[in-house]
Amino acid sequence: MSTGDNNSRSASAPVSGAPRDRQHSSDDRQSGSEESGYDSDDIPYFEDFGSGHSIVPMRRIRSSQEMLIQQSSGSDMDAITGWLYNGPLQRAKYQDFSTIDWIYDNTKARHYKSDLRARARRKGRLGKLEMLADTSKPWLILLAVGFAMGLIATCISVSSQWLIDIKHGHCRTGFYLNRRFCCWNADDVCLDWVMWSDHLHTRWRWVEWLLQYMVFMLDAILFAAMSTYLVTEYAPYAAGQGIAEIKTIMSGFMMRKFLGLRTLCIKCVGIVLSVASGLSLGKEGAMVHIACCCSNVFARAFKRVKRNEVERRELLSAASAAGISVAFGSPIAGVLF
């Protein structure tokens, strides 16, 4: 045999041997896939073996989810979304500063109601009671928001007024009483309310004015500093009114911790200190944020409402109306807002 034949045989050996090795590896993958219960299909594979090119068929393992998607490719969109709702492929948790999937959440809620009506028909009266209990969950949340906002608004008004009056003096009969309740039964002159300057008993009037001014300024600075520290250190989302952020969240934007329990507590305490310090702000706009925080916190008690972002935003719109109602004492204005 000639030398050229040997060279040509040695050059062609890797090319002819490579598909055989690939075939063995593909057979091993096929046997492994049959043992694991997965399906496989042939896809073209291109690889350069140095002296030549060859296209070798390889085996790729398909998961059960891909097989179900291929089987349901001829079905309509409701069947696919129904499998997404009930099947193993669930929607990933929304990340912070992202937008929700309105179509998925609406479809998820529609399938849940359909399943609930089907169970109600099967179980009879027990199923109807279950359906009634599920339907009443949003109303219970809004009822709790209404009671909570009434209580919170009362506490904020009474506390802020007491801190405002404490900058001028205190009540002799009860330190916890503000000037209005301390002088409730007084006609013209209230003897129970004592100014801070009255404790000096000095003859110089300017000394009493100076003491009264210093106490007033120190209390105002202290209240403002405490409010600033609580907001910056523990709940940065409690800063500002929050109405613009509420509108953004209702449009589908995700802001974690903006409607949390910590933000709710710091917002209530901070608004009392800020109003009492004499800063140029009010508690009306903050009431909307507080009401939405209450709605979000109460919605966590119900698993179905907690997982439905669309329904939670509907509750936010009703909670914002409750905030305006308690702030201005006008329920109709809250609904229009």
Side-chain angles (χ1 to χ4, degrees), residues 166-222:
I166 207 68
K167 294 187 296 183
H168 301 278
H170 65 90
C171 185
R172 185 178 300 172
T173 57
F175 189 80
Y176 57 91
L177 296 176
N178 56 25
R179 188 168 186 173
R180 179 182 178 184
F181 287 100
C182 182
C183 304
W184 188 267
N185 296 324
D187 296 331
D188 296 330
V189 180
C190 182
L191 300 177
D192 294 332
W193 185 258
V194 181
M195 304 293 290
W196 295 112
S197 59
D198 295 339
H199 293 280
L200 291 179
H201 301 288
T202 181
R203 296 179 300 174
W204 295 288
R205 192 66 177 174
W206 66 271
V207 177
E208 296 180 356
W209 290 347
L210 180 60
L211 177 62
Q212 196 69 29
Y213 175 77
M214 290 179 61
V215 172
F216 184 90
M217 292 301 297
L218 288 176
D219 287 344
I221 294 173
L222 179 63

Side-chain angles (χ1 to χ4, degrees), residues 201-272:
H201 301 288
T202 181
R203 296 179 300 174
W204 295 288
R205 192 66 177 174
W206 66 271
V207 177
E208 296 180 356
W209 290 347
L210 180 60
L211 177 62
Q212 196 69 29
Y213 175 77
M214 290 179 61
V215 172
F216 184 90
M217 292 301 297
L218 288 176
D219 287 344
I221 294 173
L222 179 63
F223 296 157
M226 291 175 60
S227 177
T228 304
Y229 177 78
L230 290 175
V231 171
T232 54
E233 292 294 329
Y234 296 102
Y237 283 140
Q241 291 184 350
I243 296 179
E245 289 83 357
I246 293 298
K247 291 181 179 179
T248 305
I249 292 175
M250 290 174 62
S251 65
F253 195 73
M254 296 293 298
M255 292 182 67
R256 301 287 182 186
K257 298 181 180 180
F258 186 80
L259 301 176
L261 181 60
R262 178 181 294 184
T263 304
L264 172 62
C265 297
I266 299 299
K267 189 81 171 183
C268 295
V269 178
I271 196 63
V272 171

Side-chain angles (χ1 to χ4, degrees), residues 61-75:
I61 300 176
R62 293 186 301 170
S63 63
S64 59
Q65 294 180 359
E66 293 178 338
M67 294 170 61
L68 288 175
I69 291 176
Q70 184 178 4
Q71 292 175 4
S72 61
S73 60
S75 304

Side-chain angles (χ1 to χ4, degrees), residues 35-57:
E35 294 176 358
S36 60
Y38 288 95
D39 194 9
S40 61
D41 54 355
D42 293 335
I43 59 173
Y45 180 82
F46 178 79
E47 186 172 349
D48 188 2
F49 291 100
S51 60
H53 302 285
S54 63
I55 297 179
V56 182

Side-chain angles (χ1 to χ4, degrees), residues 83 95 101 160 165 185 191 200 240 251 287 298 308:
W83 176 78
Q95 300 295 326
D101 191 347
S160 60
D165 293 337
N185 296 324
L191 300 177
L200 291 179
S251 65
M287 286 296 182
F298 294 151
N308 193 342

